[in-house]
Amino acid sequence: MAGPPYTWNKDIKQLFNSVDIEHMGEQGLDLASYATVSKRANGILRRLKDPDDPMPPPEDGGPWPADKIAKFEWWAKNGTPE
């Protein structure tokens, strides 16, 4: 997948807001952690793209717009650069 070189520190960690981090932290997923998000990137991407059960849910400000999903997808499919 071609595209700009997104990195965790410069681009990706800012995609998750405090509500996302708090909500998923309660479920055992630390969205503020590079190690956790990079390890679970494919699962997170599936949830971001799931129209029937999007992450984050509408009551928490979701789903993400297509440009944010595309940025995360590029990062996930290109080795999750830190």
Side-chain angles (χ1 to χ4, degrees):
M1 177 180 254
Y6 297 121
T7 66
W8 170 258
N9 289 315
K10 183 172 65 79
D11 307 289
I12 302 305
K13 70 180 174 182
Q14 293 84 356
L15 295 176
F16 299 105
N17 65 37
S18 60
V19 173
D20 300 333
I21 293 167
E22 181 180 343
H23 176 76
M24 293 309 295
E26 292 169 359
Q27 298 183 43
L29 179 61
D30 184 1
L31 294 177
S33 164
Y34 167 78
T36 300
V37 175
S38 65
K39 183 171 140 182
R40 309 248 333 249
N42 290 327
I44 293 168
L45 181 60
R46 275 192 302 279
R47 287 293 307 278
L48 289 169
K49 295 175 87 174
D50 185 344
D52 297 322
D53 189 20
M55 183 184 89
E59 61 271 14
D60 289 331
W64 279 5
D67 61 323
K68 282 179 74 172
I69 294 172
K71 187 181 281 191
F72 188 88
E73 182 172 20
W74 185 96
W75 178 78
K77 291 186 175 187
N78 284 277
T80 66
E82 193 169 7

